[in-house]
Amino acid sequence: MSLLPIILCGGAGSRLWPVSRELHPKPFIRLADGESLLQKAFLRAVALPGVQEVLTVTNRDLFFKTEDDFREVNAQGCATSFILEPFGRNTAAAVATAALHTARVHGEQTVMLVLAADHLIADQTAFMAAVAQAQTLAQAGKVVTFGVQPDTPETGYGYIEADGDKVVRFVEKPSLEKAREYLASGKFVWNSGMFCFTAGTILKEMQQHCPDILGAAAECMEKSPSAAGKEGAQVRLEPGCFGAVPELSFDYAVMEKCEHAAVVRCAIGWTDVGSWTALSDLSPADANGNRVEGEALLFDVKNTYLRGGDRLIGAVGVENLIVIDTPDALLIADRDRAQDVKQIFAELKARGHETYKVHRTVHRPWGTYSVLEEGPRFKIKRIEVKPGASLSLQMHHHRNEHWVVVSGMAKVVNGEREFFVSTNESTYIPAGHKHRLENPGVVELVMIEVQSGEYLGEDDIVRFDDIYGRT
């Protein structure tokens, strides 16, 4: 294989709360055209010459969501493979496991192109030219980073000082005064966080500069099961050994120490979409500088971004605001304080509030469920099961469940019985009964589930059999 794109998909996306959550991070945010940032990264990768496969490193809890996103846009049937982390250990660990896997499966001469799942690149032609230049440098033994030509004195990005294609030094996020100096000098570019190298080269560099990370990652890869899934090869990293891998960024662990670092200067329309301000700038503004996604009525409103969901938003006499409405959380922020949204996310996480982690609609390998209403001793859900999909054989200690089929047909295991439930029919699952829900049809199964009992938490579940390996 000549070129293998590696997509790193993870992070919390705390600055894009409440649309981004821990189990629905920034790469899965849908833009106005209906595509997610992850889907755009995938399409960008498969459009490159010579690409036959895309390797994605992601959290195992995001695997099925990632598969679904790829399946929606993978019309050309490009092969996909996955390294599944039990938890995040930063980018050096992700690159190490990807390099070890690439060298073993495809050979050390394979060129790896490391891409972030949550960036946007507007100019695909310029991107392809930059990748071609990076491939040539990588095949000559260089460790290549992509430096984006700056057009503003941005303080939210790291910088690279460059002399031709040689990296002089990496600079952390500067003050505004320093950023202006860098822009005026013409010697500095933004650090995009994208890289290119052969598998053999980066393994040698990591052995020299961070042998503890590479050694721990290699040991974990040896102990971790590999399997061929429906959508491609999967390596599921074992939690015990993966926790021993030191947690460092790839920039700090390798790039800042590397004597063979090279930079490709490029103007590719790049942005890391790191805040609601950056995301809002992707939408066209009206005559008053307002940007609206969803349904909204504005009166005497200026320079405001409103992103709605199912509800109408009305705004009167306000300016310079960000308003983000989701079914279970509402954000109102000053546009100039967009970076501080992460403080709300951090506080929610510290309190254990579920809105930092999941949306009211939760994705599962078999489909989705949405919490419609809940109160003392009851919870009402809307459940959608994909054609041919099946929930685990399970049991709940504390809750009873009533299932009403709205559309489609359900195949149900309830205790010792197995039977079908058609549209407008229902069944009752008592607490303590083993049960399973399956969609045997070719259309979506939609049902309403009413739970009742003393405890209705999602952790009240005992799985006996599960086709997705969650027992």
Side-chain angles (χ1 to χ4, degrees):
M1 182 170 297
S2 59
L3 180 65
L4 179 65
I6 315 291
I7 297 179
L8 307 185
C9 178
S14 56
R15 290 174 295 177
L16 289 171
W17 183 87
V19 174
S20 179
R21 310 282 173 103
E22 193 167 270
L23 292 182
H24 185 83
K26 186 169 71 165
F28 298 96
I29 289 180
R30 299 275 170 151
L31 301 185
D33 63 3
E35 289 181 351
S36 69
L37 291 168
L38 174 61
Q39 288 175 326
K40 289 184 180 296
F42 179 82
L43 290 171
R44 189 181 310 131
V46 300
L48 295 168
V51 170
Q52 302 169 16
E53 179 183 332
V54 173
L55 171 63
T56 303
V57 184
T58 190
N59 187 287
R60 62 177 58 179
D61 289 335
L62 301 177
F63 170 56
F64 295 102
K65 188 192 291 279
T66 303
E67 269 194 322
D68 287 344
D69 262 24
F70 287 172
R71 194 180 296 118
E72 278 186 25
V73 297
N74 192 11
Q76 60 273 63
C78 180
T80 55
S81 53
F82 300 87
I83 295 175
L84 304 177
E85 300 177 336
F87 38 77
R89 299 300 287 172
N90 216 319
T91 50
V95 171
T97 56
L100 290 161
H101 176 80
T102 301
R104 185 181 74 234
V105 176
H106 300 294
E108 292 193 356
Q109 295 307 308
T110 299
V111 177
M112 301 169 58
L113 176 65
V114 178
L115 304 172
D118 55 1
H119 292 176
L120 275 180
I121 293 175
D123 192 335
Q124 178 72 17
T125 301
F127 174 65
M128 292 172 70
V131 171
Q133 186 181 344
Q135 277 185 269
T136 301
L137 290 167
Q139 288 164 340
K142 299 295 185 180
V143 179
V144 185
T145 184
F146 294 79
V148 176
Q149 199 66 41
D151 53 13
T152 57
E154 176 62 54
T155 60
Y157 299 149
Y159 284 71
I160 303 168
E161 184 179 359
D163 181 8
D165 63 15
K166 179 179 174 57
V167 172
V168 177
R169 62 177 172 134
F170 289 85
V171 182
E172 293 296 322
K173 297 174 182 177
S175 65
L176 181 58
E177 183 181 355
K178 277 291 183 185
R180 285 171 175 157
E181 287 180 22
Y182 295 162
L183 184 64
S185 74
K187 297 178 180 179
F188 289 82
V189 288
W190 291 333
N191 184 358
S192 70
M194 300 185 296
F195 309 98
C196 189
F197 34 70
T198 67
T201 294
I202 201 59
L203 289 173
K204 289 176 185 175
E205 292 291 337
M206 297 192 86
Q207 183 60 47
Q208 178 181 350
H209 299 298
C210 54
D212 51 344
I213 292 176
L214 183 63
E219 183 178 347
C220 191
M221 289 290 285
E222 287 296 321
K223 294 180 179 179
S224 299
S226 180
K230 189 170 58 175
E231 302 293 333
Q234 303 168 23
V235 179
R236 299 179 66 87
L237 299 176
E238 286 294 327
C241 58
F242 192 62
V245 181
E247 187 172 1
L248 283 176
S249 73
F250 181 71
D251 270 338
Y252 183 80
V254 178
M255 294 304 298
E256 294 182 10
K257 306 170 185 176
C258 181
E259 297 175 0
H260 304 103
V263 60
V264 171
R265 288 174 172 262
C266 50
I268 54 178
W270 172 90
T271 175
D272 74 344
V273 200
S275 69
W276 280 116
T277 303
L279 193 62
S280 70
D281 287 343
L282 301 176
S283 302
D286 65 15
N288 293 314
N290 299 312
R291 294 171 166 88
V292 176
E293 295 179 33
E295 188 179 11
L297 291 176
L298 311 183
F299 180 76
D300 193 22
V301 174
K302 298 176 183 177
N303 197 34
T304 290
Y305 175 56
L306 299 101
R307 180 179 174 128
D310 297 331
R311 295 184 291 191
L312 168 71
I313 299 176
V316 178
V318 298
E319 60 182 285
N320 210 47
L321 290 183
I322 293 169
V323 180
I324 311 297
D325 187 30
T326 69
D328 60 348
L330 171 67
L331 170 70
I332 303 171
D334 188 295
R335 277 185 65 89
D336 297 330
R337 303 289 300 275
Q339 295 289 342
D340 291 333
V341 172
K342 62 186 178 183
Q343 304 298 336
I344 300 292
F345 181 92
E347 180 62 23
L348 290 169
K349 187 169 184 176
R351 295 183 183 187
H353 198 288
E354 65 178 9
T355 53
Y356 89 88
K357 191 171 187 177
V358 295
H359 280 279
R360 188 162 285 179
T361 294
V362 179
H363 290 259
R364 288 288 186 256
W366 42 263
T368 63
Y369 72 80
S370 303
V371 178
L372 304 179
E373 188 176 351
E374 60 183 310
R377 294 184 55 84
F378 83 93
K379 183 185 291 186
I380 304 173
K381 288 182 177 180
R382 182 183 191 272
I383 296 176
E384 295 188 16
V385 185
K386 301 172 187 175
S390 171
L391 281 67
S392 57
L393 181 65
Q394 58 187 255
M395 182 264 288
H396 310 295
H397 289 291
H398 304 289
R399 70 175 185 249
N400 309 293
E401 296 179 347
H402 299 258
W403 295 349
V404 181
V405 175
V406 176
S407 64
M409 176 177 285
K411 183 179 179 181
V412 176
V413 172
N414 188 356
E416 301 298 320
R417 299 175 58 220
E418 182 176 296
F419 52 94
F420 291 93
V421 182
S422 299
T423 302
N424 294 326
E425 295 180 346
S426 64
T427 190
Y428 167 65
I429 312 292
H433 268 218
K434 284 186 181 181
H435 59 277
R436 188 200 297 271
L437 175 64
E438 181 180 345
N439 180 0
V442 294
V443 297
E444 203 94 12
L445 166 64
V446 180
M447 56 171 260
I448 300 299
E449 176 182 89
V450 180
Q451 302 176 1
S452 62
E454 292 289 344
Y455 179 73
L456 305 173
E458 294 299 326
D459 55 348
D460 178 21
I461 183 171
V462 180
R463 289 190 175 95
F464 301 99
D465 176 56
D466 184 74
I467 63 175
Y468 309 107
R470 297 175 298 167
T471 51

